[in-house]
Every structure is written in structure tokens, then in C-alpha cells.
Amino acid sequence: MNLNKIGLLPRILMAIVLGLALGSFLPLGWVRLFATFNGVFSQFLGFMIPLIIVGLVTPAIGEVGRGAGRLLLATVAVAYLDTALAGLLAYGTGTAFFPRMVEAAQANAAVAQAQVIEPYFTVKIPPLFDVMSALIFSFVLGLGIAYGSPKLPGDSETSSMTSLKGVTREFREIIAKTISAAIIPLLPLYIFGIFLQMMVSGEAYRILIVFAQIIFVIFILHVVILLYEFVIAGGLTHKNPLRLLWTMMPAYMTALGTASSAATIPVTLRQTIKNGASEQVAGFTVPLCATIHMSGSAMKITACALTICLLEGIPHDFMTFLHFILMLGIVMVAAPGVPGGAIMAALAPLGFILGFTPDQQALMIALYIAMDSFGTACNVTGDGAIALVIDKYCRTTQ
């Protein structure tokens, strides 16, 4: 049986189920073996996180460029504000409802002394630099590429290909290949080890009960986000928001099936034009928003992160999460096109802002991927609403 032919989501679900099933009777020696693998893999993941930030964020900022003027600035601003608003919506909803859900699950769960699983050995792989240094370096380098000196008349094509922009693009390919060829294939085994240890330590039941309820809330929030996006777009364009949203359903269903913003661009573009956006504006905003507009992803990550904070007693005050959400909207700009890109980019602020451990980050990966298609569908459908807003802005300012 070729596991490569099985999608990532089925493999993640299989890993969770097997971890929960085998955790009840697998000998401690085997559990320690998987704990050893998880320890080494988490060190490798920690080493890669700053490189992922530099490799993905730098070329993303550099390629936005400076040539489209007001249209570019307006689209980036609207997409970022909507992404941040979705995260704040998740935080506000979570602080209102999640504590009671967590308390109920804590009360129903059996209280047991957690068993500490020690690995056979550990390997330290220190990162080359910390996450904040990686973020600042990415911003400086990306903006330098975007606003750097143009190609001089005497420059050869060869020198252009070996420019700093070319180097960052090649580095992005290396990072993307590392994610797709090394990290993603090993993720199911890593998540299997996490849930295996959770089952042995008695934590699995409590966490699963909570997240069964949280996922339901997340699906409702998806609908709320799409409704307010198209209510705003419909109000500005004087069109029926429900009719606009219904027209975008082919894009939603395509994204649900492919889990890819990039693969859905042709359908999103077609349906956006059907809603009345000009071909010029739609042709610019839809591909750009497929890269920078991540409202559904921001909402999911924020909701899941808040839940883990409540479960583990991690500080979750408003200012901390505001910092997290605003940074999340920036680091996810390079997520589309990379398997699990949004949650991979989010590992950085999850670690250095919220203080998540590698095991908590692994749980976030499992939860995010389990709902990945719905987040992508929310993202790309909202792209159609942003295109209508930008089209209205262009018509007004002409």
C-alpha cells in the first residue's frame, strides 16, 4: 500500500485514531521509542521554523512589488484588516463560550496522575537564529528587494537571474521542498506519537471532548465571516449580499475539494466577474488575495490556540492575542501553495508570542489540517467580496 497516494488529512486522522487505540495497551518501551522520535523531530522542526519564515516571507514581500500603486495598497490593506478581524472574532467568541466548554470537559474527565514518558535519548538542534530575528530579517530583506534599485541598462540577463530576488526564490523552493518531502510525510508519525503519549498520560479524553465542541463553533464562525464579508460588499455595491455569496459557491466547493487557494483562482476569478467586478480589478485582486487574504485560516488558528491556552493554563489576555493575531496576518502571506503552509508559518508566533511547546504546536498542526479545506474555502470565497470592494473603490476614485 503506497501511503503517498493517501491524502494528508486521511493520514493525520489515521494517526490520531491509531494513537488513541494503541495507547491503551502498547508496551511502555514502544511508547518511549515514539517519544524519542518525537523529541528529535520537534528539535528539527524548531530548527526549521526560522528558516521557514525567511524562506517564505522574504520572497512573498519582495514579489508584492511597488508597481500597482493605490490598487495594491488598497487590496493589501483590506485583506489584512479582514484577516485580523476574523482572528479577533474568533478570540471574542472563544472568550465568551470556550471557558465553560473547557470547564465542563475538565469536570467530566477522570482525574488521574499524568504519567511522564521519558525518551531513550535526546538530540539538541539549536536554530541558527531566533524567530523574531527571522521575522525582522525577512521584512528588511523583502522590502529591500521590493523597493530596491531597478535593473540597470548594462545588466545582463545572467546577472539578473543571479540577483538577490533570484536567490530568495531558490531558497523558497528549498524550504517548500523540505516541507513537502520531509516535514509533511513525517507529520502523521509525529502526531501519532503525540496522541499515543496523550492516551498513556490520560490527557486524550479531556482534549478530544473539548475540541469536538470547538470544531462545531469554528464551522459556525466560517458562515459568520462569509456573511459579514458579503454584507459589506453588497452594501457598498448596492447588491443583494446573499445573491453575491450564492454566485461564489462554485469557488467555495472547488476550494473545499482541492484545499488549494491557487488551484481555485480560475473559478474564483470567473465567479467574481459574474458578480459585477471589472475584469481588470478582478484579474489583479483575486490572484493577490489568494496569497495574502487568510481570514478563514486566521480564525481557525486563533480559536484552536485559545482553546489550548485554556486547557493548559497559558496566559491568553487580549493584548497578547492581539499581538498574536496581527503577527499571524503577516507571517501567513506566503502560506498558499505550500502544503500546510498557514499552520507552518503560524508555528513561529505560536511559539514566541503564546509560548507553545513543540507538543502543543503538533496538536495545533493536527487540528488545523483536520479542517484545512474549510479554511481554504472561506479564504477564497471571501476573495470575491474583497474584489467587489476594491472595484467600488476604483470606480469612486476615478
Side-chain angles (χ1 to χ4, degrees), residues 11 19 25 28 31 69 130 134 145-146 172 182 194 208 215 242 259 285 310 317 322 331 395:
R11 280 183 282 162
F25 58 85
L28 182 60
V31 179
D130 61 36
I145 292 171
R172 176 178 60 188
I194 293 295
L208 290 176
I215 289 173
L242 295 180
T285 56
L310 291 168
D317 58 277
L322 179 62
V331 301
R395 295 176 192 272

Coordinates of all heavy atoms in Angstrom, one line a residue, residues 11 19 25 28 31 69 130 134 145-146 172 182 194 208 215 242 259 285 310 317 322 331 395:
R11 N -4.3 10.6 6.4 CA -3.1 10.1 7.2 C -3.1 10.6 8.6 O -2.8 9.9 9.6 CB -1.8 10.4 6.5 CG -1.5 9.4 5.3 CD -0.2 9.7 4.7 NE -0.3 10.9 3.8 CZ 0.8 11.6 3.4 NH1 2.0 11.3 3.8 NH2 0.6 12.6 2.5
G19 N -3.1 6.3 17.4 CA -2.5 6.7 18.6 C -3.4 6.5 19.8 O -3.0 6.0 20.9
F25 N -2.8 -0.2 25.2 CA -2.1 -1.5 25.6 C -0.7 -1.6 25.0 O -0.1 -2.6 25.2 CB -3.0 -2.6 25.0 CG -3.2 -2.6 23.5 CD1 -2.3 -3.1 22.6 CD2 -4.4 -2.0 23.1 CE1 -2.6 -3.0 21.3 CE2 -4.7 -2.0 21.7 CZ -3.8 -2.5 20.8
L28 N 5.3 0.0 27.3 CA 6.0 1.3 27.6 C 7.2 1.5 26.7 O 7.6 2.6 26.4 CB 6.3 1.4 29.1 CG 7.0 2.7 29.5 CD1 6.0 3.9 29.3 CD2 7.3 2.6 31.0
V31 N 6.2 3.0 23.5 CA 5.8 4.4 23.7 C 7.1 5.3 23.9 O 7.1 6.4 23.3 CB 4.9 4.5 25.0 CG1 4.5 5.9 25.2 CG2 3.7 3.6 24.8
G69 N 0.7 50.6 -7.2 CA 0.2 51.9 -6.6 C -0.9 51.7 -5.7 O -1.0 50.8 -4.8
D130 N 16.8 33.2 16.3 CA 15.5 33.1 16.9 C 14.4 33.6 15.9 O 14.8 34.2 14.9 CB 15.4 33.8 18.3 CG 15.7 35.3 18.2 OD1 15.3 35.9 17.2 OD2 16.3 35.8 19.1
A134 N 14.4 36.3 12.7 CA 14.0 35.8 11.3 C 12.9 36.7 10.7 O 13.0 37.0 9.5 CB 13.5 34.4 11.4
I145 N 14.2 44.2 -1.4 CA 14.0 43.6 -2.8 C 12.9 44.3 -3.5 O 13.0 44.7 -4.7 CB 13.7 42.1 -2.7 CG1 14.9 41.4 -2.2 CG2 13.3 41.6 -4.1 CD1 14.7 39.9 -1.9
A146 N 11.8 44.6 -2.8 CA 10.6 45.2 -3.5 C 10.9 46.6 -3.9 O 10.4 47.1 -4.9 CB 9.4 45.2 -2.5
R172 N 13.3 29.8 -1.3 CA 11.9 29.4 -1.0 C 11.6 28.0 -1.6 O 10.9 27.2 -0.9 CB 11.0 30.4 -1.7 CG 9.5 30.1 -1.6 CD 8.6 31.1 -2.2 NE 8.8 31.3 -3.6 CZ 8.3 32.2 -4.4 NH1 7.5 33.1 -3.8 NH2 8.6 32.3 -5.6
A182 N 10.0 16.3 3.6 CA 10.5 15.8 4.9 C 9.5 16.0 6.0 O 9.1 15.1 6.7 CB 11.8 16.4 5.2
I194 N 2.3 11.9 19.5 CA 1.7 12.9 20.4 C 0.4 12.3 21.1 O 0.2 12.3 22.3 CB 1.3 14.2 19.7 CG1 2.6 14.9 19.3 CG2 0.5 15.1 20.6 CD1 3.5 15.4 20.4
L208 N -10.0 15.7 23.5 CA -11.0 15.4 22.4 C -12.4 15.9 22.7 O -13.1 16.4 21.8 CB -11.0 13.9 22.2 CG -9.7 13.3 21.6 CD1 -9.8 11.8 21.5 CD2 -9.4 13.9 20.2
I215 N -14.7 22.6 17.3 CA -14.8 22.5 15.9 C -16.2 22.9 15.4 O -16.3 23.6 14.3 CB -14.5 21.0 15.4 CG1 -13.0 20.8 15.6 CG2 -14.9 20.8 14.0 CD1 -12.5 19.4 15.4
L242 N -26.7 38.0 -0.3 CA -26.9 36.6 -0.4 C -26.8 36.1 -1.8 O -26.3 35.0 -2.1 CB -28.3 36.2 0.2 CG -28.5 36.5 1.7 CD1 -29.9 36.1 2.1 CD2 -27.5 35.7 2.5
A259 N -8.6 22.0 -1.5 CA -7.9 22.5 -0.4 C -6.7 23.4 -0.9 O -5.7 23.5 -0.2 CB -7.4 21.4 0.5
T285 N -6.9 41.5 -8.2 CA -7.1 41.3 -6.8 C -7.3 39.8 -6.4 O -6.8 39.4 -5.4 CB -8.4 42.0 -6.3 OG1 -9.5 41.6 -7.1 CG2 -8.2 43.5 -6.4
L310 N -6.5 27.7 27.2 CA -7.4 27.4 28.3 C -7.2 26.1 28.9 O -7.3 25.9 30.2 CB -8.9 27.5 27.8 CG -9.4 28.9 27.4 CD1 -10.7 28.8 26.6 CD2 -9.6 29.8 28.6
D317 N -4.6 36.8 27.6 CA -5.2 38.1 27.7 C -5.3 38.8 26.3 O -4.7 38.3 25.4 CB -4.4 39.0 28.6 CG -3.0 39.2 28.2 OD1 -2.1 38.3 28.5 OD2 -2.7 40.2 27.5
L322 N -4.0 40.0 20.6 CA -3.9 41.0 19.6 C -2.6 41.0 18.9 O -2.5 41.0 17.7 CB -4.2 42.3 20.2 CG -4.2 43.5 19.2 CD1 -5.3 43.4 18.1 CD2 -4.4 44.8 20.0
V331 N 2.7 36.7 8.8 CA 3.5 35.6 8.5 C 2.8 34.6 7.6 O 3.5 33.8 7.0 CB 4.0 34.8 9.8 CG1 4.8 35.8 10.7 CG2 2.8 34.3 10.6
R395 N -13.8 52.6 -8.9 CA -14.8 53.4 -9.6 C -15.1 54.8 -8.9 O -15.3 55.8 -9.6 CB -16.1 52.6 -9.7 CG -16.0 51.3 -10.5 CD -17.4 50.6 -10.5 NE -17.2 49.2 -11.0 CZ -17.4 48.9 -12.3 NH1 -17.7 49.9 -13.2 NH2 -17.3 47.6 -12.7

